[in-house]
Amino acid sequence: MNGSPVVNKTISKSIENAYEAFKKDQYDLTHLLASRKQTAEVTKTLTKYAGDFGVAQKRHLLNRVLVGYADRHMKDLDGLTLDQAIDLIFKQHDLGEPVNNYYHDFPPEAYLKKYEVPDVQPGEPFINKALSDKQKPGFPAEFAGPERGSALDSWHYHKIYSQPTSVEWRLFMFLHTLTPYKEDNVKIKSTYYSLKLTYEGAWRNYKEYIYDVTLSDKMLELLNLRYSRKEAPDENFAREVQELFTVGKRPFSKFTESDVKEAARLLVGWDYEEWPSLIGEGYVPKSKFNADNHDTGDKQFSKFYGNKIIKGRSGQEGKLELKEFIDMIFETDEAAIYLSRRLVQFFVYPILTTFTEENIIKPLAQILKKNNFNLAETLKVLLKSEYF
């Protein structure tokens, strides 16, 4: 944003004018505020719902599990019981790959003139098809070009727009609120595999998913872990993996600043392979561990983590510390409680009460643990409940 005095003065004047106009309209918000205060607290539990499963209940379900529903989704539920509807909604589909759709407004001859090398044919996938090393100077081979980036974007949007009667894209969005990644329309392969990791994450053990997210090239870049050095460990990822991804923050979670610092020491050494190797045909982006840039000292954690000491390791064994760290996090009660709380807030209602904490979230946390931190299996119980 332009920070000049003239521009800032104009913006301030616009805000002032909007506020004055709002006051002149004299909107009566009394009824709205009163209705919020009168909202009755839900006292239903996770007991399986046994009532009617008609149009109203189906609309409610689809509203919460789809990214907007259409008549075709309602028709898919015709004649189904609640159990059958849930089975349909939790059917996993293959993500697939984006294809070349950019020759519509950027024909092969224009592409060839710009890059001096041909690309895949219209309608063909390109993620695992590297661009030639002999292409025109100024277009490094690790960059796929804006055309492929646009194709990836349009494919992703169309996948959501044409969603089947499945919770998959809603779960994708849920995971993106926990473990976001930065899209990049230049480094196409990296963006695609980050999207794929998130899309498939909801059907997996969340603990294993966090391990893979930690070592994904997008996360190593986004939260600075690849730039961390043992002489000065970067605390960015060490904080977020606890505060946002796994156990949350106070007043519930009681991890300490010392835990953040010790985690930062433990995480030093991880990086990803550089871009020239990321473009080979069939190549999947992957991490690497630099033992020379790893703190080999012991890491002492707080009472919140049972005063656990993770022994420092040298050489390539240093990378074993990451798994031990993640195991330690998920051994806490708060990991399952935090994730259950986020599920309830995302799929049911964001404002929580003491009743909800005790009768919904804590029992749901036990179900999450029993299901080996599988979010999809846990969500099924929530969606079938009287509470939902």
Side-chain angles (χ1 to χ4, degrees):
M1 180 182 291
N2 191 326
S4 71
V6 174
V7 171
N8 289 337
K9 185 176 181 180
T10 302
I11 293 172
S12 298
K13 190 66 177 177
S14 299
I15 294 173
E16 180 182 334
N17 290 342
Y19 178 65
E20 290 301 322
F22 176 79
K23 287 198 300 183
K24 287 178 181 178
D25 285 334
Q26 295 183 332
Y27 287 112
D28 184 4
L29 302 179
T30 306
H31 178 72
L32 175 61
L33 296 174
S35 68
R36 289 182 177 178
K37 290 179 181 178
Q38 292 170 4
T39 301
E41 181 177 353
V42 176
T43 56
K44 298 293 185 180
T45 66
L46 290 177
T47 300
K48 186 176 178 181
Y49 174 73
D52 292 336
F53 188 58
V55 172
Q57 290 77 23
K58 290 174 180 178
R59 284 177 175 169
H60 174 66
L61 177 62
L62 293 178
N63 253 325
R64 301 304 176 91
V65 300
L66 299 182
V67 189
Y69 75 91
D71 285 344
R72 62 187 175 87
H73 298 120
M74 281 293 291
K75 288 177 181 176
D76 283 345
L77 300 190
D78 280 350
L80 299 187
T81 65
L82 175 59
D83 284 338
Q84 291 169 333
I86 294 297
D87 287 344
L88 173 65
I89 287 166
F90 280 86
K91 182 179 179 181
Q92 186 177 359
H93 301 86
D94 181 58
L95 179 62
E97 294 182 16
V99 299
N100 176 347
N101 66 0
Y102 40 86
Y103 279 173
H104 295 299
D105 52 9
F106 194 72
E109 54 272 19
Y111 189 97
L112 188 62
K113 182 177 180 181
K114 180 177 180 180
Y115 295 104
E116 296 187 354
V117 289
D119 201 10
V120 297
Q121 294 301 306
E124 289 188 3
F126 53 77
I127 289 299
N128 290 312
K129 179 67 176 177
L131 294 181
S132 170
D133 290 333
K134 299 178 181 178
Q135 64 187 32
K136 187 175 181 179
F139 295 97
E142 66 266 30
F143 298 151
E147 293 75 31
R148 285 188 176 186
S150 296
L152 176 61
D153 273 350
S154 64
W155 168 80
H156 185 190
Y157 301 149
H158 185 264
K159 294 287 284 190
I160 298 176
Y161 177 78
S162 60
Q163 64 184 329
T165 308
S166 169
V167 71
E168 55 196 19
W169 286 109
R170 188 75 171 170
L171 275 171
F172 171 88
M173 291 181 172
F174 169 73
L175 279 181
H176 212 287
T177 68
L178 288 166
T179 57
Y181 65 89
K182 182 181 179 182
E183 291 189 356
D184 189 330
N185 284 344
V186 177
K187 298 173 181 176
I188 304 303
K189 179 172 287 194
S190 173
T191 296
Y192 169 76
Y193 279 106
S194 291
L195 188 157
K196 182 178 173 67
L197 176 62
T198 306
Y199 174 82
E200 295 176 348
W203 313 98
R204 302 176 51 199
N205 176 327
Y206 185 77
K207 182 167 69 171
E208 295 175 356
Y209 168 72
I210 287 297
Y211 181 87
D212 289 342
V213 164
T214 301
L215 300 185
S216 65
D217 59 303
K218 282 295 184 187
M219 191 59 73
L220 288 167
E221 182 81 36
L222 179 65
L223 292 181
N224 306 332
L225 196 54
R226 72 171 309 211
Y227 304 110
S228 186
R229 296 292 176 264
K230 63 182 180 181
E231 298 83 8
D234 189 290
E235 297 178 7
N236 202 357
F237 183 84
R239 185 179 305 280
E240 298 299 352
V241 71
Q242 297 175 80
E243 185 173 293
L244 180 60
F245 302 173
T246 58
V247 292
K249 53 185 178 180
R250 290 178 183 273
F252 304 104
S253 179
K254 300 292 196 302
F255 72 86
T256 66
E257 283 298 307
S258 176
D259 291 328
V260 173
K261 295 181 183 301
E262 294 298 278
R265 292 178 55 221
L266 180 148
L267 291 163
V268 171
W270 287 102
D271 199 350
Y272 60 77
E273 296 192 357
E274 292 296 337
W275 288 112
S277 64
L278 290 179
I279 61 165
E281 292 194 28
Y283 187 87
V284 178
K286 59 184 179 182
S287 62
K288 64 180 181 180
F289 183 75
N290 180 4
D292 292 335
N293 184 37
H294 180 64
D295 186 330
T296 59
D298 294 347
K299 288 82 182 179
Q300 170 75 63
F301 291 90
S302 71
K303 181 180 178 181
F304 178 73
Y305 292 116
N307 296 311
K308 185 176 179 64
I309 297 175
I310 295 181
K311 301 294 290 184
R313 297 169 174 87
S314 58
Q316 286 299 305
E317 287 193 356
K319 57 187 177 184
L320 299 177
E321 295 177 36
L322 173 59
K323 184 179 184 305
E324 192 172 347
F325 170 66
I326 291 176
D327 286 344
M328 177 190 75
I329 288 177
F330 282 89
E331 285 169 2
T332 66
D333 291 335
E334 194 56 44
I337 293 173
Y338 171 71
L339 289 169
S340 298
R341 189 180 293 122
R342 294 293 296 265
L343 280 172
V344 170
Q345 289 179 306
F346 189 87
F347 285 95
V348 186
Y349 195 63
I351 300 175
L352 304 177
T353 65
T354 301
F355 179 90
T356 308
E357 284 282 345
E358 295 300 321
N359 296 279
I360 304 298
I361 290 169
K362 288 183 179 179
L364 203 63
Q366 293 304 311
I367 293 169
L368 183 60
K369 283 186 175 181
K370 184 178 178 180
N371 282 281
N372 201 23
F373 286 92
N374 184 291
L375 296 178
E377 291 301 316
T378 307
L379 182 57
K380 286 180 185 179
V381 175
L382 178 62
L383 297 181
K384 289 183 180 183
S385 70
E386 289 181 344
Y387 172 76
F388 177 74

